[in-house]
Amino acid sequence: MKLCIVTHKIKKGDGQGRVNYEVAQEAIRQGYQLTLLASEVAPELLENSSVNWISIPVEGYPSELIRNFIFAKKSADWLRKNRDTFDLIKVNGAITMGAADVNAVHFVHSSWWLSPVHISRSRRDFYGLYQWLFTAANSYWEKQAFSQAKSIIAVSEKVAKELVNIGVPRQKIRVVLNGVDLEEFTPGVSSRTSLGLPENVTLALFAGDIRTPRKNLDTVLQALKKVANLHLAVVGDTKGSPFLELANSLGISERVHFLGYRRDIAKIMQAADLFVFPSRYEACTLVLLEALASALPVITATATGGAELVTAEAGIVLPETDNIDNLAASLSLLASDRSLRQQMGQAARIVAEQHSWTNMAQNYLTIFTELNNHEKHSSHPHLSPSSRPMPLSESPTTAN
């Protein structure tokens, strides 16, 4: 199959970029002819003769909104000239103005725009206005992109519901959860001292952007105040974060360990006893899967995309993100019961083992094959976007 992937980055160390990297790797292994329209591609992918990189540079433009627009325009111009050379085109959201066969949706801007924790609601300044305009523009563009695609892949059930809410037919949506590196994130024991963490205490872990209220560290800190003797490690850039002062004002700064932005998150997870992440808005977070793979019992919330992964045996899913008492009770339960933590950790690892990057990538390729076979048997292959046949009316599937 001749496959074209259109996205900004195709590399490890980037959420959406990592998904595309793994899909590309599996496509190469299965003998696909692969063309990558991207600004950045991992060098190892280009070592294979079956891979062709069409570079779309966007460096030097002053904002992400402008860079995204330039990329969308340039990629669409190239696709218009070369569309007929491919069996299938895969894109992400509103990344290009060109039509695609498969649109993998990692984030629904229309839903984020309505969220009470959208940045524009807490920042009444130029930055807040910029974020409002950025989300508004992407909300408009993504609806057009979704309507043109034959099949939509949502990265979580939460994203699938959000897509239905903006008018995408449910039968057009397939759910493929993101994957996890089961070798990098694995059960083990790390030296807390070497990581700047205290020994001989029960340690919870929180990881994410702590410069805004979206990830909900404020509720975690307020709940922690009610759970004596529990310590919390926080991974995230502290520059401009209000939560260091909040921990101090709550009188728990001695039990909260701000580690800053870290690349050794796998080692930090091996040093923790449990993972807490009740995010107020999330499409499908990789860090949740990474915690499960590290055999950590997880406390999260239904608003967190990917929470459907957390079974009752592997953790606790809270119905409300901001209920301090419920979160404190969950933290207290796990903090006080080592045996329960161990049981949940074992169940968490079993859940994660069903979601390797290889399994995820194979699910994508299975969808590609189904669509391509349907196209071959169609009496009008490669019609214009507005007249292309709808995808097979199968029941949506969830990745195993």
Side-chain angles (χ1 to χ4, degrees):
M1 184 188 298
K2 294 180 179 179
L3 171 66
C4 179
I5 297 177
V6 186
T7 193
H8 293 145
K9 299 177 182 179
I10 306 177
K11 65 173 189 175
K12 294 181 179 180
D14 179 273
Q16 185 171 288
R18 179 64 185 268
V19 171
N20 283 290
Y21 175 89
E22 296 295 340
V23 171
Q25 284 279 37
E26 188 62 25
I28 292 169
R29 282 193 288 268
Q30 296 193 24
Y32 281 49
Q33 291 294 312
L34 192 58
T35 296
L36 308 175
L37 263 69
S39 298
E40 187 176 350
V41 175
E44 61 269 24
L45 292 177
L46 304 176
E47 295 173 359
N48 194 291
S49 60
S50 65
V51 178
N52 179 35
W53 177 26
I54 306 300
S55 176
I56 303 181
V58 294
E59 292 182 4
Y61 294 98
S63 72
E64 185 179 0
L65 180 61
I66 295 175
R67 289 191 294 271
N68 288 356
F69 181 83
I70 296 298
F71 184 96
K73 178 66 168 60
K74 288 184 176 180
S75 59
D77 290 344
W78 191 91
L79 286 172
R80 274 191 289 271
K81 298 176 183 177
N82 297 277
R83 173 66 183 91
D84 290 339
T85 63
F86 300 109
D87 297 307
L88 188 139
I89 295 175
K90 174 195 174 293
V91 304
N92 294 111
I95 209 160
T96 181
M97 296 177 186
D101 300 294
V102 175
N103 195 314
V105 184
H106 293 250
F107 196 87
V108 181
H109 287 86
S110 299
S111 295
W112 173 228
W113 200 14
L114 299 175
S115 171
V117 291
H118 188 275
I119 296 171
S120 64
R121 289 174 173 79
S122 59
R123 291 283 299 268
R124 301 290 182 175
D125 54 12
F126 178 79
Y127 182 72
L129 175 61
Y130 168 77
Q131 289 295 328
W132 189 92
L133 291 171
F134 182 88
T135 307
N138 277 281
S139 297
Y140 174 77
W141 292 330
E142 70 184 6
K143 288 179 182 179
Q144 293 182 317
F146 299 155
S147 68
Q148 293 178 333
K150 295 178 185 177
S151 183
I152 304 292
I153 297 178
V155 297
S156 69
E157 287 293 343
K158 181 178 186 295
V159 168
K161 292 176 182 177
E162 291 177 348
L163 289 168
V164 171
N165 289 341
I166 63 171
V168 178
R170 189 62 178 87
Q171 69 270 19
K172 193 176 180 178
I173 303 169
R174 308 284 287 273
V175 177
V176 179
L177 296 169
N178 289 335
V180 64
D181 190 327
L182 294 171
E183 294 182 3
E184 180 182 4
F185 294 91
T186 188
V189 178
S190 294
S191 168
R192 289 185 178 177
T193 302
S194 65
L195 295 169
L197 294 168
E199 301 280 359
N200 304 316
V201 299
T202 304
L203 181 68
L205 172 64
F206 177 98
D209 186 350
I210 62 171
R211 295 168 296 178
T212 74
R214 175 180 155 194
K215 305 292 185 177
N216 203 17
L217 181 55
D218 52 315
T219 299
V220 174
L221 293 176
Q222 293 177 71
L224 185 70
K225 181 178 175 64
K226 296 174 176 287
V227 186
N229 301 321
L230 178 62
H231 285 241
L232 177 69
V234 179
V235 175
D237 189 354
T238 59
K239 185 178 181 180
S241 172
F243 300 113
L244 284 78
E245 178 56 35
L246 177 59
N248 186 56
S249 67
L250 291 171
I252 57 174
S253 57
E254 291 184 356
R255 293 193 286 128
V256 182
H257 312 279
F258 289 94
L259 303 179
Y261 176 79
R262 300 287 288 261
R263 293 188 178 276
D264 56 348
I265 184 66
K267 291 295 183 183
I268 296 172
M269 285 186 171
Q270 289 181 339
D273 294 304
L274 61 105
F275 183 72
V276 55
F277 191 72
S279 177
R280 292 185 171 107
Y281 185 87
E282 211 70 38
C284 185
T285 176
L286 292 178
V287 73
L288 196 65
L289 256 174
E290 293 166 353
L292 292 170
S294 302
L296 290 178
V298 168
I299 300 174
T300 187
T302 53
T304 305
E308 64 260 35
L309 282 168
V310 183
T311 63
E313 294 76 21
I316 300 169
V317 180
L318 301 170
E320 300 174 279
T321 56
D322 296 323
N323 191 311
I324 297 170
D325 290 336
N326 284 353
L327 179 55
S330 298
L331 288 170
S332 181
L333 174 65
L334 292 185
S336 62
D337 194 334
R338 182 177 181 181
S339 177
L340 178 61
R341 293 200 305 269
Q342 291 175 337
Q343 292 172 19
M344 283 188 166
Q346 292 171 358
R349 176 66 184 187
I350 292 172
V351 169
E353 286 174 347
Q354 302 174 47
H355 297 279
S356 67
W357 283 120
T358 299
N359 286 349
M360 181 217 69
Q362 181 56 59
N363 283 326
Y364 273 86
L365 266 58
T366 297
I367 293 172
F368 296 166
T369 300
E370 291 175 1
L371 286 173
N372 190 49
N373 289 342
H374 179 65
E375 181 79 3
K376 286 180 178 178
H377 290 91
S378 170
S379 59
H380 302 287
H382 294 112
L383 295 177
S384 64
S386 61
S387 58
R388 286 178 184 158
M390 291 292 287
L392 301 173
S393 57
E394 301 173 349
S395 298
T397 59
T398 301
N400 295 320

